[in-house]
DNA sequence: CTACCAATCTGGTAGGGCCAATTTGACAAC
DNA sequence: GTTGTCAAATTGGCCCTACCAGATTGGTAG
């Protein structure tokens, strides 16, 4: 990648939040989950005592406890003092962040989960657009326009626009002036970064996405809410079709 | 509380997911956050070295590292090997679960965050209703009806329906047959359980809520989506008005 | 000024130990 | 046989020390 390309892509990349670049400790979390699966642990059942589990996994008790602390915060696991560590119901009790984390560990989501994720993302993006139409500031519009220009430049340089795309949608969420919405949508982008990189490897998709982004900016600029909703639904529809195909 | 009341309330209570009943280790997490605040740590800035910070907080390095592992998984903090632990931007980078956790520690949310939370919750509940109208099964309807009956019983026994209310909304989310939606909405319920308990201390509010729940069930049963959307917006409007008043 | 190397500082990990609360099971009393 | 009691074992919560590998720093030799 040339220096020129990098200098263009950098501002957009800077706005992207990466899901922690593969910390060494993360691997252990995956192994704990794997242990539960391979040993057929059901929701509500207990893990072996920390001392034993640590030995089984070949790590120190400290390292295991750090992993368990993480899993507890994501409601995957529930430690009860003087009793044991219990597995929760992953599909209902655990946090969505747990899905993000497990995806980052290479645990492939199944087709149902992808469908469900897309449905939730659509609801959040619609809300973001709705609020953005009402609250967008000149700064918001300028940022969106700048990211769109960066995107075009990356396309011209035959780069991958996955980061630019994420930056655009993050800026869109920011235009809603709702930080909770930003954080929730960000979780989705972290979850799907790699997939979007594959998606945008196709230049036609990248081009189409860029055009739709510009249309979205115009709709928000003019506060044309119904049109903006229609555009975002169509925009997300692309990804939906793609995922359905790749997982079918 | 009488035995009769308990036996009625229990099934509904069983469906409620409590946000981990005040683990001892959680307190340290709050102290780390407090340290960052009192020392004016900005996003991107570094915490003291683990050894020093542990001594400052009067805990062992192990305990501190468990707290940091939790904060890392919630993207509140970013440890870089051989460099240090860095604070992330809470309002944009950290996960929504971090808000849930901090709320559980007694960190009062400000008015803006409550507004933002309500806006996101509304988007998710609307999506849940929309999907529920399309996918609800007889089982879903039966569960909703049973919870509604439980709720009425608790009201008659002059109990607090906060748990019943949570169970109802959880069942509603379940009727959408989207587990991601369930998990995200569950995070909201964990976040607001105590507030809803205060809200429902007023019997008139409890009664009104119960009636609205029955109307929602009917609308979903008959797949009358526009009416269901209208009802859920009105239903959530109650809470919105309440929060605006209490925080004004 | 540069190149190099050693001291230092960082987080990551291991393994030891102690405590308090709970559970378990043997034993005694009835 | 049942019940009550108490001690031993088990468990998570927490602390301490030590070592490692990578990065930074600072001084020194060239």
């Amino acid at each position: 990648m040339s220096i020129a390309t990098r200098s263009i892509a950098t501002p957009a990349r800077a706005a992207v939040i990466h899901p922690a670049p593969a910390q060494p400790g993360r691997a252990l979390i995956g192994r704990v989950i794997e242990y539960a699966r391979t040993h057929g642990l059901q929701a509500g059942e207990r893990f072996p005592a920390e001392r034993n589990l640590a030995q089984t996994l070949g790590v120190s008790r400290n390292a295991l406890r750090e992993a368990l602390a993480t899993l507890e915060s994501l409601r995957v696991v529930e430690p009860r003092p003087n009793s044991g560590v219990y597995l929760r119901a992953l599909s209902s009790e655990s946090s969505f962040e747990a899905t993000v984390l497990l995806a980052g560990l290479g645990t492939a989501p199944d087709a149902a989960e992808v469908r469900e994720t897309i449905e939730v993302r659509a609801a959040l993006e619609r809300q973001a657009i709705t609020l953005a139409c009402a609250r967008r500031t000149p700064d918001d519009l300028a940022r969106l326009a700048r990211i769109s220009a960066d995107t075009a430049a990356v396309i011209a340089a035959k780069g991958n626009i996955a980061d630019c795309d994420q930056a655009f949608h993050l800026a869109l969420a920011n235009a809603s002036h709702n930080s909770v919405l930003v954080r929730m949508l960000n979780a989705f982008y972290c979850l799907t970064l790699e997939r979007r990189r594959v998606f945008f490897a196709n230049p036609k998709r990248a081009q189409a996405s860029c055009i739709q982004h510009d249309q979205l900016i115009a709709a928000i600029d003019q506060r044309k809410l119904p049109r903006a909703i229609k555009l975002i639904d169509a925009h997300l529809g692309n990804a939906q079709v793609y995922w359905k195909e790749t997982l079918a």
Side-chain angles (χ1 to χ4, degrees), chain A:
Chain A
M1 187 183 281
S2 71
I3 294 173
T5 308
R6 191 144 33 107
S7 69
I8 289 170
T10 300
R13 184 183 295 265
V16 173
I17 302 160
H18 289 106
Q23 293 294 336
R26 290 300 180 92
L28 182 53
I29 297 172
R31 292 181 55 200
V32 173
I33 296 290
E34 191 191 337
Y35 179 94
R37 255 204 298 260
T38 58
H39 288 70
L41 235 63
Q42 300 300 311
E45 287 188 351
R46 214 199 68 171
F47 280 83
E50 289 183 355
R51 290 163 178 84
N52 300 335
L53 185 56
Q55 196 170 19
T56 303
L57 297 177
V59 297
S60 75
R61 202 179 151 210
N62 283 342
L64 175 62
R65 280 184 60 82
E66 283 177 30
L68 290 176
T70 295
L71 290 172
E72 183 202 352
S73 71
L74 300 177
R75 293 196 301 275
V76 172
V77 125
E78 178 189 355
R80 297 180 204 160
N82 311 315
S83 170
V85 179
Y86 294 80
L87 184 65
R88 290 189 184 238
L90 262 74
S91 63
S92 61
E93 290 188 86
S94 74
S95 73
F96 178 66
E97 296 295 326
T99 307
V100 176
L101 184 139
L102 293 178
L105 292 171
T107 304
D110 58 9
E113 187 153 279
V114 170
R115 170 184 62 75
E116 296 176 357
T117 303
I118 290 173
E119 286 172 356
V120 175
R121 182 190 166 190
L124 294 178
E125 294 264 13
R126 269 197 292 269
Q127 179 72 300
I129 283 276
T130 302
L131 297 176
C133 276
R135 299 177 186 163
R136 91 285 186 286
T137 65
D139 273 357
D140 295 327
L141 293 169
R143 193 178 314 121
L144 285 165
R146 184 159 40 78
I147 292 170
S148 181
D150 287 352
T151 308
V154 170
I155 289 176
K158 301 196 190 307
N160 192 298
I161 65 163
D163 281 348
C164 293
D165 180 69
Q166 180 163 345
F168 176 85
H169 284 275
L170 217 59
L172 204 62
N174 267 306
S176 74
H177 294 266
N178 182 318
S179 68
V180 174
L181 203 48
V182 172
R183 278 181 281 180
M184 289 201 141
L185 280 168
N186 181 54
F188 284 93
Y189 306 138
C190 290
L191 181 60
T192 60
L193 181 61
E194 282 314 310
R195 280 169 187 276
R196 277 183 295 111
R197 212 176 287 284
V198 175
F199 178 80
F200 287 122
N202 182 331
K204 287 180 91 169
R205 292 204 193 106
Q207 191 69 52
S209 176
C210 191
I211 292 172
Q212 290 179 321
H213 283 187
D214 284 336
Q215 292 174 328
L216 274 167
I217 294 173
I220 293 168
D221 182 13
Q222 299 160 24
R223 300 184 192 275
K224 288 184 177 172
L225 179 56
R227 173 163 168 73
I229 294 279
K230 236 177 131 176
L231 285 168
I232 194 76
D233 280 344
H235 186 56
L236 298 180
N238 297 343
Q240 197 166 358
V241 168
Y242 169 73
W243 267 311
K244 268 195 184 149
E245 285 171 1
T246 57
L247 287 168

